[in-house]
Amino acid sequence: MQNLKHGLFFMVTLLLSSLAHSAEYEIKMLNYGDAGSMVFEPAFLHIQPGDTVKFVPTDPTHNTRSFLVPKPEKSWNSKVNEEFTITPETEGIYVYYCSPHLVMAMVGMIQVGEATNLEQAKKSSSRLQAKFVMNKQRVDELFAQVVN
Ligand SMILES: [Cu+2]
């Protein structure tokens, strides 16, 4: 009996500590925000592995689609107008965009832990940037916020 109590206590403690260590973030998908029209807000997030990020369809006609994720993380492509949640476990830079507003540079970045794939992410992102017809500086502004 004593052992069982001990075991239970241990499990509950473990559960509580794992809950306490993972954070939850929200990214709004907006027609208009502080950085102009068609934006994710905040567009840059620095989180830790195991944290949760929820994309909220605050305004209609947006989605979130990954452009680049560090291996072996899975890519994602959410439905327009739907809430979408990810829990990245792999450290590195994640770049995503909104499919309907790609040309307007509706783009965002999540840094999970260390920016392990920074150089590769910068290289790949120039291909994404080439598809923008306006707000081309947004990708550079995101990279400027990466924490080394
Ligand atoms: Cu959009």
Side-chain angles (χ1 to χ4, degrees):
M1 192 60 192
Q2 192 59 34
N3 269 347
L4 183 67
K5 268 190 190 164
H6 247 106
L8 268 176
F9 179 76
F10 181 70
M11 276 166 59
V12 169
T13 310
L14 207 71
L15 183 70
L16 287 177
S17 68
S18 72
L19 284 176
H21 286 266
S22 65
E24 271 186 46
Y25 297 87
E26 272 192 15
I27 297 175
K28 290 179 183 149
M29 303 190 268
L30 299 174
N31 292 348
Y32 203 84
D34 292 341
S37 58
M38 306 307 172
V39 288
F40 292 99
E41 205 171 277
F44 181 87
L45 266 186
H46 186 199
I47 67 172
Q48 294 307 316
D51 287 349
T52 296
V53 178
K54 190 200 286 177
F55 292 91
V56 184
T58 314
D59 290 329
T61 75
H62 305 292
N63 83 330
T64 170
R65 179 172 190 169
S66 60
F67 171 72
L68 146 95
V69 300
K71 283 175 185 163
E73 203 73 28
K74 281 197 189 111
S75 57
W76 71 82
N77 185 8
S78 83
K79 288 186 178 141
V80 170
N81 296 336
E82 281 190 9
E83 192 175 282
F84 189 75
T85 300
I86 57 168
T87 306
E89 300 285 352
T90 313
E91 292 197 285
I93 299 290
Y94 296 62
V95 179
Y96 61 89
Y97 61 93
C98 166
S99 314
H101 303 115
L102 173 61
V103 294
M104 298 172 80
M106 184 163 171
V107 62
M109 184 181 293
I110 300 170
Q111 177 181 354
V112 180
E114 304 270 322
T116 50
N117 58 341
L118 185 59
E119 283 319 304
Q120 204 254 315
K122 280 185 177 169
K123 246 185 225 168
S124 306
S125 292
S126 61
R127 280 189 282 120
L128 184 70
Q129 206 168 14
K131 294 180 177 156
F132 303 161
V133 296
M134 55 191 286
N135 301 319
K136 278 184 180 280
Q137 79 289 352
R138 281 185 181 170
V139 165
D140 301 324
E141 288 168 359
L142 291 171
F143 275 111
Q145 295 177 72
V146 168
V147 181
N148 277 306

